[in-house]
Amino acid sequence: MNETSSSSSARVLLTSVCRPFGGPGEGDSVGAELFHAQVTRAQGPFSLRQVIRVWALDYLAENIQAPTVTLHYPSERELIDELCRGSYSHIGINFVVATFHKVRAMVPLIRKYAPNTKIILGGYGSVLPDSVLAPFGDYICREEGVRFMRRLLNEPMDAPFKHPHAPIPATRVLGYQRQAVVGHVTAGLGCTNGCDFCCTSHFFKQKYVPYLESGRDIFEALMATRARSQADGVDMNGFILIDEDFFLHQKRAREFLDCVRENGEALSLMGFGSVRGLSQFTAREISEMGFDVIWNAFEGRESGYMKQKGRPLAQLYAELKAVGVSQLTSMIIGFPYQDEATIRAEFEALMALEPALTQCLIYFAFPGTPFHEQVIKEKRYLPRYENQPDLRRWDGFSMHFTHPKIDAPGRVEEIQRELYRKDFERLGPSIVRLGRVWLQGYTNLRDDDSPLLRKRAARHARDLRGLLPALSAAALLGPSSLAQERALALRADIIRMSGEPSVKERAMELAAPLLHMVTRGARSAGVFQQPGLLRTEHRTSTAANSGHTANALRLQGGLRAQPLRVLAEDLAELARRAMERLRPTDLVLPSARVITQQAQGMPGSLPPALGA
C-alpha cells in the first residue's frame, strides 16, 4: 500500500456511487431513496419519495482540513468532468455490497482520468474481504471514517467533531414537492444490541461510537442546522436524528428532553428506538421530545432479540399513537422457526398494530455477521449463489440459502412481495395512516396541561390540513375499498375539526387525481425517477455558494434539474437497458466466491497501520 500524504498537499473528492439506479440485475430496493425503495415500495403514486444524502460524505468533508468536494449521485459523465477539473490527491467512494458493481465501473474511470489519485473505499460495502476489494482501492476504511481520514492525511487527531449542515428535501407525495428541507444530525454510530444479522452492529464490533456526548449537544446541533437553513431563507420543517437506538442511552435522552422543555418549541423528529429503549420513557416524554416517527423492530415474535424486551408492543404502540407518535415497523421473514403459516400469523399480528409505515426484509447473511458464519458452517448457500455470487442482490430482498421449513427459496421472495401488497391494501397509503395518528395526537393534546404538548397539537392540526389533496386522491384511487373508506373518513374528521376546505384547497383536491395519473405514468415510463447531482465544496473560495440550503432540493432530481437533459439521460438509460436484456453483461466477480464459501470475521482497515 501507499504512504500517507501531507495534508498541505491534499485535495479530496468524496463521492457516492454513480446513478442511475435500478439497472439490469440491480435490486429495486437499492438506490437513493429509503422510503420508496424499502418501505412504501408497493404504494405506487402514494409512495413517499425522498432522496437522502450519503451522510458519511458530509461528515468526513466537514471534519478534515484538506479542501474537499462531495458528490452525491453523479452520473458517470459528471464524475469524469469532476476528475478532469479537480486535480485530486484522494478520491473516496462510499458504497454498500449491492452497489459494488458500480464501484467496479467507477474505478477504471478514475484511473483513466486521474491516474495519480489514490482511491479510498468505505461504507458498509467494505465488509467484503480484502481479496475482493484490494484490486479496486489503495485504502479501505472499515472503521469510524473521520479518524481514519485524519490519520491518512496526517491531520490533527484531537480536533473536535463538527456537525455539517446536510439537509435533504422534504418528502414528496403524488409528485407534489414542498419547498422545504429536513435537517439531519448523527448522535452516534454503531449498536450494542448485536443482532446476528445486523451489519451495522458488527461493523463497529457491537460498540457504540458517540458523535454527540450529551443531550444538549444533540439539541444544539439540531438548532444550528435549522439556523443555517433559516439564514439561507429555506424552511426546515423537521429533522432526522441518526442513532441506532437513541432511547437506550437514557441519561443523554433525558438531557435532550430537558433542553426541548426549556426551549418550549414543538419539534418534529424521526428517529430509531427499540422496545427495550422506548420502554424506559413514557409516551408523553417521547412526544415532548418531538418524535413524530420512530423506526422500531417487530422482526419476528420468536426471534428472541434482547432489544425487543420491554412493554408489550400493542400497549407501547397504542400509547405512542395517542400522543401523535407514529411507528415505522420492520418485520423479518425467513427465520428458521418460520414456516408459511407462521409468517402469515406474524404478519397478522403486525397488521393489528397498524403501523404507519412497514418494512419487510428477508433474513440475510451479510459478511462479517454471526449469521453469515452460521450459513457458511451449515453449507446452506444455494449453488447459484455459492458458485456465482451476484452481489447486486445482497439487499435483503433475495433469499440466498436453503430454509428448513420452506422448500423453494423463491417462495420467500414471493411472500415478501405479497406482504408489501397486503399491507398497502389493508391499511392504505402511509400518508393516510400518518394523518390518523396526527389526528389522535391533536384530539388528545389540544387541551393538555403542558404548553409544549398543546403546541404539538397545533402543529398536527396544520399538518392535517395539508393532507386534504392526498386524502381526496386516496378516497378515489386507493388500493382497496377499505383503504378508500379510511381516507374518506379521515378527510371528514379533519373537516369537522377545522372547517370546510378553502377555494385553494378544493382546487388542490381536484388536481390530486391528475397528479396521481402523471406520477404513475412517469414511473411506468421510467422517466424523472433518478436523483439529481448535489455538489458541495468545503474550504474553497466558492464553498458558501455550493453549500446553500436550497441546493439540497436538487437531490430530488426530475424537473428540479435541467428537464431536457434529464429526459435525454433517462431515454439513453432505457435504451441501454433494452440492449442489456438482449446481451446481458456478466457482472459476477470470480473472487467474490470467497464470500459464500469461507467464513470470515469483520476485517480491519487497509493498510493495517491506518486502523491502529
Side-chain angles (χ1 to χ4, degrees):
M1 291 293 172
N2 301 281
E3 297 297 323
T4 58
S5 302
S6 168
S7 60
S8 61
S9 61
R11 179 174 170 81
V12 179
L13 174 65
L14 301 173
T15 182
S16 70
V17 296
C18 290
R19 66 173 194 273
F21 296 96
E26 295 181 13
D28 58 6
S29 66
V30 180
E33 300 181 63
L34 175 60
F35 291 128
H36 183 61
Q38 298 189 20
V39 179
T40 58
R41 56 191 279 120
Q43 298 189 18
F46 292 106
S47 182
L48 305 184
R49 306 296 300 265
Q50 184 180 48
V51 174
I52 59 174
R53 303 166 81 118
V54 181
W55 312 115
L57 304 183
D58 301 298
Y59 275 81
L60 294 176
E62 187 72 16
N63 285 282
I64 59 177
Q65 296 177 351
T68 303
V69 170
T70 64
L71 300 180
H72 294 270
Y73 315 118
S75 66
E76 287 191 359
R77 181 70 259 169
E78 288 165 338
L79 174 64
I80 291 170
D81 290 344
E82 189 68 44
L83 295 173
C84 290
R85 71 182 180 186
S87 299
Y88 294 106
S89 61
H90 297 79
I91 296 178
I93 307 173
N94 182 287
F95 70 105
V96 297
V97 173
T99 59
F100 180 52
H101 65 287
K102 290 182 175 291
V103 175
R104 291 166 55 195
M106 294 167 68
V107 167
L109 297 177
I110 295 171
R111 288 175 173 162
K112 177 179 180 180
Y113 292 99
N116 297 321
T117 303
K118 303 305 178 189
I119 299 173
I120 310 163
L121 302 181
Y124 288 123
S126 66
V127 299
L128 297 174
D130 294 348
S131 58
V132 176
L133 295 184
F136 300 95
D138 298 284
Y139 306 100
I140 303 173
C141 173
R142 297 187 177 106
E143 58 185 286
E144 190 283 309
V146 172
R147 295 177 179 88
F148 177 91
M149 290 296 294
R150 286 175 175 175
R151 283 196 297 272
L152 175 63
L153 300 174
N154 287 330
E155 293 186 354
M157 297 296 296
D158 57 354
F161 276 35
K162 298 181 291 182
H163 274 68
H165 177 60
I168 61 175
T171 306
R172 183 175 78 231
V173 181
L174 293 174
Y176 176 73
Q177 178 69 58
R178 283 193 60 184
Q179 301 301 304
V181 296
V182 174
H184 159 265
V185 164
T186 295
L189 302 174
C191 179
T192 60
N193 287 316
C195 298
D196 62 344
F197 63 88
C198 182
C199 177
T200 301
S201 185
H202 294 282
F203 187 91
F204 291 100
K205 298 176 174 58
Q206 300 182 48
K207 295 179 180 179
Y208 179 71
V209 183
Y211 271 14
L212 295 168
E213 297 286 349
S214 71
R216 182 163 295 279
D217 290 339
I218 295 173
F219 180 79
E220 290 178 351
L222 293 172
M223 294 301 99
T225 192
R226 190 179 64 177
R228 169 67 183 275
S229 181
Q230 290 173 338
D232 287 344
V234 180
D235 177 31
M236 182 173 281
N237 66 346
F239 304 93
I240 297 176
L241 181 58
I242 302 297
D243 193 283
E244 291 293 325
D245 200 344
F246 172 76
F247 302 93
L248 198 59
H249 310 281
Q250 186 176 15
K251 179 181 177 182
R252 188 181 64 172
R254 291 201 176 278
E255 289 175 349
F256 177 74
L257 174 58
D258 290 340
C259 290
V260 176
R261 286 170 170 169
E262 179 185 321
N263 177 263
E265 180 183 350
L267 302 179
S268 176
L269 300 172
M270 176 183 170
F272 303 77
S274 67
V275 173
R276 180 183 168 202
L278 289 166
S279 296
Q280 299 182 134
F281 298 86
T282 67
R284 284 176 60 86
E285 289 172 332
I286 294 168
S287 183
E288 284 184 286
M289 289 182 197
F291 285 94
D292 282 341
V293 177
I294 295 175
W295 195 321
N296 174 257
F298 174 87
E299 312 297 34
R301 288 190 294 189
E302 298 179 33
S303 53
Y305 297 120
M306 182 62 67
K307 66 184 180 183
Q308 295 171 293
K309 307 297 182 183
R311 294 209 294 279
L313 273 178
Q315 175 189 345
L316 180 63
Y317 277 37
E319 291 172 350
L320 290 171
K321 289 179 184 179
V323 289
V325 183
S326 299
Q327 291 78 42
L328 192 170
T329 306
S330 176
M331 177 181 180
I332 291 179
I333 63 175
F335 284 121
Y337 73 85
Q338 293 173 329
D339 56 19
E340 287 199 37
T342 305
I343 291 173
R344 296 184 191 287
E346 292 187 346
F347 178 72
E348 290 300 321
L350 177 58
M351 290 294 96
L353 297 172
E354 296 196 6
L357 303 117
T358 305
Q359 182 189 59
C360 178
L361 297 182
I362 294 173
Y363 192 38
F364 195 77
F366 274 98
T369 63
F371 184 45
H372 178 261
E373 182 177 351
Q374 177 186 344
V375 171
I376 295 287
K377 181 179 180 180
E378 296 174 356
K379 301 184 183 301
R380 288 175 54 195
Y381 269 108
L382 297 170
R384 70 176 183 274
Y385 284 110
E386 181 178 14
N387 299 321
Q388 290 187 313
D390 186 347
L391 300 183
R392 292 173 294 181
R393 301 311 308 274
W394 250 249
D395 58 355
F397 285 77
S398 303
M399 189 67 175
H400 289 184
F401 40 83
T402 59
H403 191 279
K405 296 186 178 181
I406 302 175
D407 292 336
R411 182 64 185 141
V412 178
E413 297 174 18
E414 292 175 3
I415 294 172
Q416 182 186 40
R417 291 190 291 271
E418 176 189 333
L419 297 187
Y420 271 105
R421 185 179 68 254
K422 285 187 173 181
D423 167 77
F424 183 38
E425 293 171 351
R426 294 263 293 276
L427 302 183
S430 286
I431 192 67
V432 179
R433 303 184 225 174
L434 289 164
R436 179 55 66 183
V437 177
W438 297 345
L439 183 61
Q440 280 187 261
Y442 168 77
T443 302
N444 294 329
L445 300 178
R446 59 184 172 180
D447 297 319
D448 197 272
D449 292 338
S450 165
L452 181 58
L453 292 181
R454 291 199 302 273
K455 290 180 181 178
R456 180 181 177 90
R459 177 169 59 76
H460 284 323
R462 292 192 298 271
D463 291 342
L464 283 164
R465 292 299 296 193
L467 288 185
L468 289 176
L471 293 176
S472 293
L476 181 65
L477 300 166
S480 64
S481 58
L482 177 59
Q484 293 170 7
E485 290 169 6
R486 284 172 173 257
L488 196 60
L490 179 57
R491 180 182 182 276
D493 288 341
I494 293 172
I495 290 173
R496 279 194 294 271
M497 174 193 80
S498 55
E500 293 292 329
S502 65
V503 173
K504 180 180 178 181
E505 287 171 333
R506 286 191 183 279
M508 294 178 68
E509 285 186 306
L510 290 172
L514 177 62
L515 289 174
H516 182 282
M517 181 177 66
V518 171
T519 303
R520 182 177 61 187
R523 186 181 178 194
S524 298
V527 296
F528 300 118
Q529 301 299 297
Q530 296 293 333
L533 171 66
L534 177 62
R535 181 183 185 274
T536 306
E537 298 183 14
H538 298 256
R539 294 168 297 281
T540 68
S541 59
T542 56
N545 291 335
S546 73
H548 193 282
T549 303
N551 291 344
L553 295 172
R554 298 175 183 171
L555 285 168
Q556 292 289 54
L559 297 176
R560 296 202 162 272
Q562 301 172 27
L564 292 179
R565 181 186 62 77
V566 170
L567 181 59
E569 185 178 293
D570 288 343
L571 294 176
E573 174 61 14
L574 291 172
R576 187 189 72 81
R577 293 181 186 180
M579 292 297 296
E580 177 71 17
R581 284 191 289 271
L582 295 174
R583 292 191 208 171
T585 301
D586 182 13
L587 291 178
V588 173
L589 191 66
S591 63
R593 291 173 186 162
V594 66
I595 301 165
T596 55
Q597 297 177 0
Q598 181 178 319
Q600 52 207 301
M602 191 66 67
S605 297
L606 283 182
L610 288 176

